[in-house]
Amino acid sequence: MSLKSLVVSRVAEAITSAQRLDAARDKYEKERQRQGARHRIDYFHQIDDPYGHLALQALDQFRSRYDVDLHVWLVGPPDDWAAPERDRLIAYAREDSARLAKRWGFAFDDHGVQPAPDAVRAAQAQFAEALGADDFWPRALSINRALWDGTIEPSAPAVTGEPCARGDAERARLGHFMGAMLHYGGEWYWGIDRLHYLETRLRGVGARVQGAPAELIFAAPDLELKSAKQQAGERPVLHWYLSFRSPYTYLSLHRAEALADAYGAELRLRYVLPMVMRGLPVPQMKRTYFTLDNAREARRLDIPFGRIADPVGKPVERGYAILAWAMQQGRGYEFVDSFLSAVWSQGVDAGSDAGMKQIVEKAGLPWPEAREQLAYETWRETAEANRLELLEIGHWGVPCFRVNNVCVWGQDRMWVIEDALKELTS
């Protein structure tokens, strides 16, 4: 490993460590108390984002459970660099939000289309007018319901100018780019999926209202992994679309195998090139948030993470060249496990022969034969075929998981795949 790789991996480890996080939180709380300030939370609401529609409903419960000042900002959609494949993202957000709403009792139905632009403008104007009003919350919830139900009424806005301008500017100043985001004390929390982290943090500093419900507003279920009876006929297939440059893929690694094992499914590895290597931008703001989000998810899941040797570029290509061969040897998963663990938690430079040799041998494969695979490019055809298939089923990013016609994006939704496997094996 080069000196540069060693230094970068150690810096990443320090930035993502629990010690740094605890120190930053302690510093923030001491300064807040010194100033006599209340707990302030900023929420950035994109009105035509279905995840925001769920978040607004959750925050209506949240505000009565915690002694905080909740400041709401209206924002527009993310820039193009933050929303690659925007049409697919929008369609999937509706589908996913409808699934979450049904499971946890929120109000949202996917009508198959986004609200019309004039309806969005009307809702934005009405929402902006309601900001700061004594009856903001009932008005805001009513406006959102009307937008998504298709019953929003155009009105002459009292607010002039661009209604999202102030919110967009404040979100950018604080360092983010998405809607449905909560900010408290230097940390970001996305929608209902990350609300439990904020709730836990606030409980730790005594901000929970006395007598408030003990349970969290939303917490995604853990996998049950109950061994299913083996059925006669073909085994179900669990397609796992993965990328060696995706830390979320790394976090899903062992659960993907566990799902396949528990339900007797074939785990089929479908590797694709990382977005940045397909010409899609991933700016620093986005990389920073996702790295820190992965760190806290890794701590929750008890997965080593943080000593990072970013494999973007040649390391990924070298890894896929060997993966294609490893799959033929029946050691594909073992190689994926070894590679992802090495680059995301051990600081191993997969771009060097020494680093790759370590990865290969840990996967139980011979290095001399593996090294020969680096001269071949046939893996590119497979990676492109996997990417095209992913697009055909309405997705673009990884990790994705598919069982028959059930397909979800992200390690947060593996419980959906477990439900699909249960149906096939019950």
Side-chain angles (χ1 to χ4, degrees):
M1 177 185 293
S2 68
L3 178 60
K4 179 180 178 181
S5 297
L6 179 64
V7 171
V8 169
S9 69
R10 293 302 190 270
V11 170
E13 183 178 27
I15 290 173
T16 59
S17 70
Q19 292 79 6
R20 184 209 64 83
L21 180 66
D22 290 343
R25 287 181 172 182
D26 185 58
K27 180 180 179 181
Y28 173 80
E29 292 299 334
K30 286 180 177 177
E31 179 61 20
R32 181 190 63 79
Q33 293 170 2
R34 187 188 68 79
Q35 295 180 4
R38 287 174 50 77
H39 300 284
R40 171 179 174 135
I41 295 168
D42 292 277
Y43 169 62
F44 297 88
H45 186 67
Q46 180 188 334
I47 207 159
D48 57 342
D49 175 11
Y51 292 119
H53 187 52
L54 301 186
L56 201 68
Q57 296 172 63
L59 290 176
D60 192 34
Q61 303 176 44
F62 175 91
R63 66 193 183 94
S64 65
R65 297 188 183 194
Y66 298 94
D67 184 23
V68 300
D69 292 338
L70 183 55
H71 294 254
V72 179
W73 303 81
L74 181 64
V75 296
D79 293 333
D80 288 343
W81 61 260
E85 301 289 347
R86 187 184 296 273
D87 290 343
R88 287 184 173 87
L89 174 62
I90 288 171
Y92 181 73
R94 290 196 311 269
E95 174 191 333
D96 191 41
S97 293
R99 177 167 47 227
L100 292 172
K102 182 178 180 180
R103 180 75 180 257
W104 275 276
F106 293 107
F108 183 79
D109 293 316
D110 178 14
H111 299 295
V113 294
Q114 283 292 103
D118 59 342
V120 173
R121 287 191 291 270
Q124 287 175 337
Q126 293 173 29
F127 195 96
E129 186 177 353
L131 286 172
D134 291 340
D135 60 347
F136 166 75
W137 283 98
R139 285 173 65 182
L141 291 166
S142 177
I143 293 164
N144 270 257
R145 282 195 300 269
L147 175 66
W148 288 104
D149 290 345
T151 59
I152 193 79
E153 292 290 339
S155 60
V159 178
T160 59
E162 171 52 54
C164 300
R166 291 181 66 247
D168 289 343
E170 181 65 8
R171 178 177 61 180
R173 185 187 72 81
L174 291 173
H176 218 283
F177 52 92
M178 297 196 308
M181 294 302 305
L182 292 142
H183 182 267
Y184 174 70
E187 294 177 47
W188 289 97
Y189 308 85
W190 175 60
I192 64 172
D193 275 281
R194 299 294 184 263
L195 184 60
H196 67 95
Y197 284 121
L198 177 56
E199 287 195 77
T200 301
R201 182 179 176 186
L202 290 172
R203 292 178 182 203
V205 294
R208 179 180 166 216
V209 172
Q210 186 174 5
E215 68 275 7
L216 298 171
I217 293 171
F218 172 87
D222 294 327
L223 297 181
E224 295 179 12
L225 300 175
K226 294 180 178 179
S227 296
K229 295 180 180 179
Q230 297 303 306
Q231 305 294 312
E234 293 184 6
R235 297 167 64 195
V237 178
L238 170 52
H239 299 265
W240 180 29
Y241 300 88
L242 61 97
S243 164
F244 279 172
R245 211 246 172 166
S246 162
Y248 291 112
T249 294
Y250 167 57
L251 295 187
S252 70
L253 172 70
H254 294 153
R255 283 175 292 160
E257 182 189 37
L259 277 175
D261 287 348
Y263 298 98
E266 174 194 349
L267 182 60
R268 194 166 294 177
L269 309 179
R270 314 300 296 273
Y271 54 91
V272 299
L273 278 173
M275 288 193 299
V276 71
M277 293 173 65
R278 291 184 264 139
L280 299 172
V282 185
Q284 184 61 47
M285 184 188 296
K286 191 174 184 179
R287 292 198 300 271
T288 298
Y289 170 69
F290 287 150
T291 299
L292 295 176
D293 184 55
N294 273 274
R296 65 184 169 194
E297 282 286 275
R299 284 190 290 272
R300 180 178 67 85
L301 296 165
D302 196 23
I303 296 173
F305 179 84
R307 189 175 292 182
I308 300 168
D310 189 347
V312 66
K314 285 297 181 182
V316 166
E317 294 177 340
R318 287 160 55 90
Y320 286 174
I322 294 176
L323 174 58
W325 168 77
M327 292 168 65
Q328 295 172 1
Q329 311 309 305
R331 305 291 293 178
Y333 174 82
E334 289 77 8
F335 181 74
V336 171
D337 186 348
S338 182
F339 188 101
L340 289 173
S341 299
V343 301
W344 294 110
S345 70
Q346 299 163 15
V348 175
D349 180 6
S352 69
D353 280 357
M356 189 62 81
K357 180 177 185 289
Q358 178 181 334
I359 292 168
V360 166
E361 291 181 343
K362 186 177 179 182
L365 292 161
W367 170 239
E369 292 179 47
R371 182 169 51 190
E372 292 177 2
Q373 310 309 311
L374 300 176
Y376 302 119
E377 296 278 318
T378 53
W379 63 267
R380 293 186 185 275
E381 297 176 5
T382 303
E384 178 62 8
N386 291 338
R387 183 188 73 86
L388 293 175
E389 180 176 295
L390 199 56
L391 292 176
E392 286 176 3
I393 58 178
H395 289 269
W396 65 100
V398 296
C400 269
F401 306 88
R402 178 169 68 85
V403 172
N404 288 346
N405 63 346
V406 177
C407 186
V408 297
W409 175 35
Q411 56 96 24
D412 298 296
R413 299 292 181 265
M414 296 182 77
W415 57 269
V416 179
I417 294 300
E418 182 171 39
D419 288 347
L421 288 169
K422 285 179 184 176
E423 289 187 12
L424 290 175
T425 57
S426 60

